[in-house]
Each structure stands twice: as C-alpha cells, then as structure tokens.
Amino acid sequence: MSAPRRPPNSLPRPPGEYEALERAWRKPGGWRALTAVNNTRIGRLYLATAFALFLFAGVLALAMRLQLAVPGNDLLQPGTYNQFFTMHGTVMMFLFAIPMVEAIAVFLLPGMLGARDLPFPRLSAYAYWAYAFGGAGFIVTLAFGLAPDGGWFMYPPLTGKEYSPGLNADFWLLGIGFIEISAIAGAIELIIGILFTRTPGMTLARIPVFAWSMLVVAAMVVFAFPPLIAGTALLELERAYDWPFFIPARGGDPVLWQHLFWFFGHPEVYIIFLPAAGMVSSMLPALVQTPLVGRRAVIFSLAAVGALSFALWMHHMFTAGLGQLETTLVSAASMAIAVPTAVQVFAWIATLWRGRVQLNAPTLFVLGFLLVFVLGGLTGVMVAAVPFDWQAHDSYFIVAHLHYVLVGGLVFPMLAGAYFWVPLFNGHRMSEAWARWVFGLVFAGTNVAFFPMHVSGLLGMPRRVYTYGSETGWADLNMASTVGALLLACGVALFTIDLIRTLRRPQRAHGDPWRASSLEWLPQDEYATRSQPDVRSAEPLWRQPLLVQEVETGMHWLPGSVTGMRETLVTGWRDARPRYLLVLPGDSWLPFLCALGTAGFFLLMTVQQAIAAWLFGALAIVALVAWLWQADRPLPPQATVAEGVELPIGAEGRASHSWWATWVLVVVDAAIFASLAFTFLHLSMRLEVCPPPGAHLPAAPWPWLQAAFLAASSLLAWWSSRRPAQGWPMLAAGACLVAAFAYDLDAHRHAGLAPSRDAWSAAVAALLAYQGLHVAVLAPAALYVAARGKLRAASRATLDNTVLLWHCAVLQALAGLVLLRLV
C-alpha cells in the first residue's frame, strides 16, 4: 500500500470546532422527526416503507398461490383475485422495487461519495413523503373494494370507462402518478449528487461501482418515466373527459398504450437490476478481500445495458401484430443485451476465483443471486426468439421467467446488502446462524415456487386465471409452486424477525466488520464524517491506511461547520476538484406539508371532493412558495474549507449544481413532450385521411402570430436574466407567454376542436393542454422571480433556472406548431 500524502489540514482540529457541526446536524425528536431531511433519516424511512410494502405484496401473492393450490378452489372470488394480482404486481414493480433501489442509494451514496449529504435534501424528503402518502392511499383502496383490477400493466380497452366504470382504475393511475413524481425527483437528486458532490479527489475513475450503477439508473429513469407519465395522463383524460386515445371506434388505438407503457416497462427491469448489480460489485471485493476484476469493463457494461434496454420495449409486443422488421430488430437487441450482462457475471465469478471466499451471510446470498438470476436470464433469451415467444406468451412460463429475474435480480442482492450494510444502522451484524436458515428457505422456496411454472406454462396454463379444472394436469405443479411460496414466505419472515431484533439493539460504533475499501465504513454521524476525506484511489480504505484517523481528527476537507449551517463541498464532475461550498437546507415541515397537500389534492379529486381537494392544493402551493423563498438567503461570499484554501459559497449559472439539475428536469419535460408528439404521429398514421373528416387546424395567420408572441416571451426572459434587479422584463415575458397560449386556445376553439369526437383531435388537444400546463407553471414563476429579484441578489440562481425552463418551454411550443403544420 502506498504511503499517505499530506492531507489538506496538516494538524488535528481542536474538539471545540465540532460544536457548530453537531448543532447544525442535530436530529429532531418527537413529532419533529417528521421534519428530518438529511439522507440518513430519509433513507431509513424509504427503506422501512419499501420493505413493508414488499411484505404486503408477498401476503397477496401467498393468497393467490393458496387459491391456485388445487383445481376449482373458491378461496378467492374472481373479482377479488383480479384485485389481488393487480395490487401484487403494481406494489412489487412500482411501490417496492423502484423505491427500494432509490432508498438504498439515498442511504448509502453520501457515505460512499464522502459527502455530508445529497445536494437537495428537501427534495429527497418531498419525494419520500409523496411516495408514502400515495402508497398509503393506494393500499387503502383494497379495504373498500376500490383496488384496481386491470393488471399491473392496465391495458386498454379493458381499463377504459366502458369496461371499468368505477374508480378502481383511477386509483391505479393516481398511485402510479406519485411514484412518477418520487422517482424523477430521486433521479435528479442522484444525478447531481453523484456528479457534483463527490469528495475531493474522487475522480470519475474512482467512483464506486454502485454509484456508477445508480448514475446509469437515474439517467434511465429520466428517459423511461416520461412515456409512462404521458400514457397515464392520456388514459385518465380518456376516463375523465372521454378523449378517445385508445378507443378504435373513434380513431384511437389500444396498441398506443403498449408502446408508451413498455417503453418504460422493459427498461424498468434493468432499472431494478442494475442497482443490484452495483451492490454486488461493491460488496464482493470486501467479502473476498480482493479488488473487483475488470472494474472498468463492469462500468462500461452497466452503461451498455442501460442504453440497450431502450431498444427492447417491443420485446413484450411480439404478439401485438407488429411488422417483421420491427420484431427482428427487437429480438436481436434482446439477445445482444445478454453480452454486457454476461461481462458483469464473469467479472463476479473471476473475483470469487481470485479472492478468499468465506460462506458468510452476504456471500451466500450473492451466490444465490448468481444462480437464480442467470437462470432467469437464460429464459429471457428464450422468449427473445419470436417463434418461441408466440408459444409462451401470456403463459405461466412468462410468470416463471419474470420472477426468476426479479427475485434473483433484486431480492437476493437486497438480502445480501442487508446483511452487509445493517451494521451502518446501529453497529450490530445480523445473526449468521439465522442467515443460513433464511438463505436455505429463500433459495429452496424460490426454485420450488417458480421452476414448476415453466412446465405448467409450456403445458398451456395461461396467466391471470383464478382457477382451473382437474383435467388440465396442472394440479401437481401448482401445489408444488404453493409449497415453494410458503417456504419462501417462511424465509422472509425469519429474516424480518432477525432484522427487527438486530435494529432494536443499543447503538454503538459500526467499525469496519468486512474490512471494506469504500468510504461508507468511515466513522459516521448525522453529519457523515468529521471532515470530508481526500481520496487518491478507487479503494481508499485499502490504499490510505491512516485515512480513518485523519478524517476523524479533522485533518481533511471542511472540518467543522464554517457558516454554522449544514454544508458540503461541490466538486468538478470530472476531476473532483473543489469548486464551492454548498450550504444545505435544514430540517423543515415544508416538504412534508407540500407532499401532504399534493396527495390530498389528487386523492380528493379522484373521489370528486372538489372543495377539500382545492384546499389541499392551496396547502401544497403555499408550502412550495415558502420552501423556495427560504432557499434564497444572504450568505458570506467565501469560506475557508481547508488549511489555506478558500472557496466561494454558492455559484451562479453554469457553475451552479442547481442549473444542471434544471437541465435534467428539462430533459424529463422534453421526453414527455416527445411522448405526446409520438401519440399524435401514431394516431395520425393510422388515418386514411388526416385530419379526419370534421377536424381541422386554425387558418393562417395563427402559427405566425403565436410564434411571434413566443419569441418575444423568450427574448424578454433572456433580458431579465441580464437585469436581475428589475422585475418588469420577466413580468412582460409572462404576459407574452399567456397571450400566446390564449391566442392559441382561442384559435383552436374557433376552428371547432372537439377532443371527444375523435382521437386525432384529442391528440391535438393533449399537446395544447401540455403547453397550457407550462403557462400555468411559468406565469406564477415570473411573478415570484420578479418579486424575489427586488429583494436580494441571492435569487440569481432561481432567476437563471427559471429562464432556462422558459426557453425550453418556448422551444417546445414552437416544435408543437411545426409538428401540427407538417402532419
């Protein structure tokens, strides 16, 4: 091991310097615990909620397996069974899997990156509470018979008003809406956190593999979730206002939903798998005490899997009547993605071969993951072959494949991660003796439960049936699957008991029980480490043997608290050189109240309680404005962050991390617009005559006048960024934006636009409505920025970010004009 270089602060810091640090990061007690925003508190809440929903979905699965244990069973009625399998799939895919991987990232990444916290802690808190309130409202529907019953994929036309007239489908759309908000907020937080708040010296080549996996996953969320947002919005518009996007009799197309849903749905499988793969790549070197073999190849393979996953969405649509060219290309991509996945598998096997394997609890579950996931991957290659997929589609073979991939690809790594990282909670390891029982039950239960489903599927058992006849020959296979499910449930129950028992033990220092190489095993408190470490390798705890003592005595970056508030360093995205000091917001009720208002508004609107809904909406708006108002606060211009090193506090424009976060939001916004544009093009291409009879666009000079208003709006917004002390240019920009939309709306109204008449008109109205949504957000933002700009120069970041959003909204509106005219 190389000798340590002289750290930034050559002398230990006196103990008194840490009083301000401990005071700034003191955790709230009692009811004020709901105000916590730092990553350790929010990460624990995330983990606990996601795991509780995992247990709930498991109970639903057990009930379904008991129903299918014998032919002709009547334990569950058909309607109840439909609700159970819809809730099980939805909770597992949306309320457990994605939130769980983001929860693990929120809890672990600041420690791995050597940061005090993620850059937007209140955004993390809002994302969690939106998820918690939305998930709770979704689960409660089961008690009132309002649970969705159209499957976790919610295919129209069965989920339209004609076949699902109640509120069941609306609650599904509502629940997924909260997950969309939470996931995208989490993705923005993770992208900016990983790129800009790494500790000094942690260059791109030294980022932990788990952080790389979460960076890829967060980027995937940014591109994969917008089509789902568009699809759920269109389905709700159809249900609420009779806009016939998916009704063939009026020009709609149910296959459009499949395109939008599966453009999210297949990347989602890898959104779930890649964090688990990153966890395995991070745990394995510590478990076998050797660096990961092929580290760079593993990182490139993570990015390759993420990119290829977007070419596979029609993998689920081979039987939907697509053309031969499309199915051939998607089939080839489905097989090609096995190559970068195999790179990771062989890297793990080589690391096990080179290291010293000890069959402790995490290692057992890593080995189980390799066996189960590889088997699921092999059946995935089988269904990538179009002729085989035609035979196996919608059979229990697909159920078996899906569960091997998801249980093997997430549950086994999750359990391995629990045994590995639980000491970070209170310093105690879970029981090794219990772990062997847990592993045996979970491994045996998984294979006994799901392997027979391959056979029953090939024998013709379809998915989503609540019973079957004794003459089918499926009885023994279904009984075996039920016994396996009970074994699996026993293993999960035993793990849960041991987890609770371990977490109830008294707090103590966690140390480094695995002799790991990554920074999360440094001595931690609510504020992370006493000083942010100066990193010089990809395995800092192995290559810098004195790092623990140096960091704990304040000999590295940012010892104590400079401003008396919560702080972390912002570093360059490539070289990790310190750029400026970021002052983080403290604990607050505002994210909680904003999430409560958001949840209350949508839940009450769903049950048609308009007055109460708008009261909750007002609560959300007031909380959001107060939240933003607090973000602009006067601070000193510079601070000393190490011996002889001064940095500015905060930054403006392109130097600011918030400016880049706004760009991520712009990408999400543009992807939603692209999904709506795809909807318009898809529906237009199905028409023999476009526009359809009775529908037409406004006549000239409509597009030229609207384009002039939009250009003037963007120009005034740009001018306001040059004159931040004057509010009138932004107010004038807002007036032009409102005028452009009002003119556009009036022109379409006089042209006779009738969204409920045909799907083409509904697609035009959807593009118009999305433009209106931007106006509804940016017009109040213009008032806010104008008022804020007169108070202090600290509102500069808010102004820069608003202007950036403004330009992108104008470009979208102009693109919509061009699209409508060209088609």
Side-chain angles (χ1 to χ4, degrees):
M1 298 205 177
S2 60
R5 192 183 62 188
R6 181 173 175 263
N9 297 297
S10 58
L11 297 175
R13 317 303 295 177
E17 287 198 11
Y18 300 123
E19 292 179 0
L21 180 68
E22 293 171 350
R23 185 167 54 252
W25 292 87
R26 184 177 296 125
K27 63 182 179 181
W31 284 103
R32 292 191 66 252
L34 300 176
T35 67
V37 299
N38 66 314
N39 74 289
T40 54
R41 298 288 150 187
I42 295 300
R44 292 180 187 211
L45 289 171
Y46 248 130
L47 290 167
T49 306
F51 187 72
L53 289 168
F54 168 70
L55 297 178
F56 171 77
V59 171
L60 296 180
L62 274 182
M64 290 189 291
R65 282 308 333 156
L66 291 172
Q67 166 66 21
L68 295 173
V70 295
N73 201 356
D74 59 358
L75 176 66
L76 298 177
Q77 294 303 308
T80 305
Y81 186 87
N82 286 344
Q83 291 187 3
F84 273 38
F85 86 72
T86 301
M87 292 287 284
H88 167 74
T90 303
V91 171
M92 281 296 192
M93 297 297 286
F94 294 105
L95 297 177
F96 159 64
I98 294 175
M100 176 58 78
V101 299
E102 287 197 344
I104 294 170
V106 168
F107 182 74
L108 287 180
L109 275 182
M112 282 188 170
L113 300 175
R116 289 268 163 83
D117 203 344
L118 293 170
F120 306 108
R122 289 190 179 179
L123 184 62
S124 289
Y126 173 78
Y128 166 72
W129 288 114
Y131 157 63
F133 290 139
F138 185 73
I139 297 303
V140 167
T141 60
L142 194 61
F144 295 95
L146 293 174
D149 53 6
W152 71 276
F153 38 81
M154 294 292 283
Y155 282 168
L158 293 179
T159 53
K161 273 291 187 181
E162 182 179 358
Y163 300 103
S164 297
L167 295 175
N168 304 60
D170 299 290
F171 277 108
W172 185 91
L173 296 168
L174 172 74
I176 298 309
F178 283 106
I179 299 308
E180 293 161 353
I181 293 171
S182 178
I184 288 175
I188 294 172
E189 178 84 291
L190 294 176
I191 289 172
I192 303 304
I194 294 168
L195 290 179
F196 294 102
T197 60
R198 306 192 306 272
T199 199
M202 187 177 282
T203 61
L204 289 179
R206 297 169 182 171
I207 297 178
V209 178
F210 177 68
W212 272 115
S213 72
M214 288 310 305
L215 182 61
V216 173
V217 163
M220 291 173 68
V221 168
V222 166
F223 288 100
F225 266 79
L228 180 64
I229 293 172
T232 53
L234 296 180
L235 183 54
E236 186 56 35
L237 285 171
E238 178 179 297
R239 291 181 56 82
Y241 300 106
D242 196 30
W243 293 12
F245 299 102
F246 310 109
I247 301 176
R250 287 188 276 166
D253 186 12
V255 176
L256 170 63
W257 169 267
Q258 294 193 38
H259 281 295
L260 294 172
F261 183 85
W262 288 118
F263 194 82
F264 151 81
H266 202 90
E268 185 198 19
V269 174
Y270 297 97
I271 288 172
I272 294 169
F273 162 68
L274 290 182
M279 290 165 61
V280 171
S281 295
S282 295
M283 289 185 287
L284 206 53
L287 295 174
V288 299
Q289 291 295 292
T290 192
L292 180 69
V293 173
R295 184 178 187 273
R296 181 171 295 183
V298 168
I299 292 170
F300 279 112
S301 69
L302 290 170
V305 169
L308 281 172
S309 68
F310 286 94
L312 308 185
W313 85 92
M314 288 184 287
H315 173 94
H316 298 265
M317 301 170 61
F318 287 159
T319 62
L322 303 177
Q324 184 176 358
L325 176 62
E326 293 93 329
T327 55
T328 302
L329 292 175
V330 173
S331 178
S334 300
M335 296 180 183
I337 203 169
V339 175
T341 305
V343 168
Q344 298 177 70
V345 173
F346 284 118
W348 297 327
I349 293 172
T351 305
L352 287 165
W353 182 268
R354 192 169 74 173
R356 301 188 302 274
V357 179
Q358 297 180 358
L359 292 181
N360 50 36
T363 305
L364 283 173
F365 281 98
V366 168
L367 295 175
F369 151 76
L370 287 171
L371 293 170
V372 176
F373 179 77
V374 167
L375 182 55
L378 291 175
T379 57
V381 175
M382 292 171 66
V383 297
V386 177
F388 182 84
D389 183 81
W390 285 349
Q391 303 301 315
H393 188 77
D394 269 347
S395 75
Y396 256 76
F397 187 94
I398 304 300
V399 178
H401 159 68
L402 178 67
H403 283 82
Y404 262 91
V405 169
L406 294 179
V407 174
L410 177 60
V411 175
F412 274 84
M414 179 189 75
L415 296 176
Y419 283 103
F420 187 82
W421 280 299
V422 153
L424 292 178
F425 283 82
N426 64 357
H428 297 278
R429 289 172 57 176
M430 296 175 67
S431 169
E432 285 287 335
W434 285 43
R436 281 161 172 73
W437 280 98
V438 172
F439 173 77
L441 289 168
V442 170
F443 185 78
T446 297
N447 288 282
V448 174
F450 302 120
F451 192 85
M453 293 181 184
H454 294 101
V455 182
S456 60
L458 294 177
L459 291 176
M461 184 173 178
R463 302 171 69 176
R464 303 183 286 274
V465 291
Y466 84 102
T467 191
Y468 54 93
S470 57
E471 71 281 358
T472 57
W474 306 332
D476 292 342
L477 293 167
N478 275 288
M479 178 57 74
S481 291
T482 302
V483 170
L486 291 170
L487 290 173
L488 178 57
C490 289
V492 173
L494 193 61
F495 167 82
T496 305
I497 294 170
D498 189 28
L499 178 65
I500 295 172
R501 187 183 64 142
T502 303
L503 295 178
R504 287 173 59 87
R505 299 176 70 180
Q507 186 82 28
R508 69 179 186 186
H510 58 68
D512 186 2
W514 311 106
R515 289 179 293 169
S517 64
S518 48
L519 295 177
E520 75 269 23
W521 295 103
L522 288 171
Q524 303 272 343
D525 208 318
E526 293 292 319
Y527 47 77
T529 54
R530 292 280 188 180
S531 56
Q532 290 190 234
D534 188 63
V535 171
R536 295 164 228 150
S537 75
E539 293 95 18
L541 295 189
W542 287 353
R543 307 302 180 192
Q544 297 170 249
L546 300 180
L547 188 63
V548 173
Q549 293 88 341
E550 292 171 355
V551 167
E552 186 66 2
T553 53
M555 295 174 65
H556 284 247
W557 297 92
L558 198 59
S561 176
V562 180
T563 63
M565 293 180 280
R566 300 181 180 185
E567 306 155 342
T568 195
L569 290 176
V570 173
T571 54
W573 69 272
R574 181 183 300 171
D575 57 10
R577 292 182 179 273
R579 293 292 189 263
Y580 62 89
L581 180 68
L582 172 62
V583 177
L584 300 167
D587 299 325
S588 172
W589 283 103
L590 295 174
F592 178 87
L593 293 175
C594 191
L596 179 63
T598 306
F601 176 78
F602 286 107
L603 284 168
L604 290 166
M605 287 296 283
T606 303
V607 296
Q608 301 176 357
Q609 298 293 321
I611 295 177
W614 283 109
L615 289 175
F616 273 90
L619 172 66
I621 292 171
V622 170
L624 178 61
V625 171
W627 174 355
L628 295 174
W629 200 269
Q630 288 184 4
D632 296 330
R633 49 189 168 182
L635 294 168
Q638 285 189 317
T640 301
V641 297
E643 189 174 311
V645 180
E646 284 198 348
L647 290 179
I649 297 179
E652 298 177 359
R654 297 182 181 182
S656 169
H657 68 291
S658 67
W659 193 81
W660 292 102
T662 306
W663 264 113
V664 179
L665 183 60
V666 164
V667 172
V668 173
D669 186 33
I672 297 173
F673 173 78
S675 301
L676 295 176
F678 169 80
T679 297
F680 175 74
L681 290 171
H682 179 87
L683 295 174
S684 298
M685 292 171 67
R686 294 186 73 252
L687 296 172
E688 294 182 4
V689 178
C690 183
H696 59 275
L697 294 173
W702 158 67
W704 303 108
L705 284 176
Q706 189 187 6
F709 276 124
L710 290 170
S713 170
S714 193
L715 183 62
L716 285 165
W718 172 81
W719 191 16
S720 73
S721 69
R722 302 297 174 183
R723 298 171 173 269
Q726 299 182 22
W728 71 264
M730 184 58 77
L731 294 176
C736 287
L737 192 67
V738 172
F741 177 70
Y743 174 69
D744 195 11
L745 187 63
D746 186 65
H748 280 89
R749 183 176 62 84
H750 282 91
L753 182 66
S756 60
R757 180 180 54 211
D758 59 79
W760 185 89
S761 299
V764 174
L767 288 168
L768 183 62
Y770 197 57
Q771 181 188 348
L773 178 63
H774 286 81
V775 174
V777 171
L778 291 176
L783 296 172
Y784 175 88
V785 170
R788 204 60 181 153
K790 294 178 181 179
L791 294 177
R792 60 174 76 109
S795 61
R796 177 74 208 198
T798 304
L799 174 61
D800 289 339
N801 300 339
T802 302
V803 170
L804 176 58
L805 287 173
W806 204 287
H807 294 327
C808 294
V810 167
L811 286 175
Q812 274 189 30
L814 293 173
L817 278 176
V818 173
L819 176 68
L820 292 177
R821 280 298 167 185
L822 286 179
V823 174

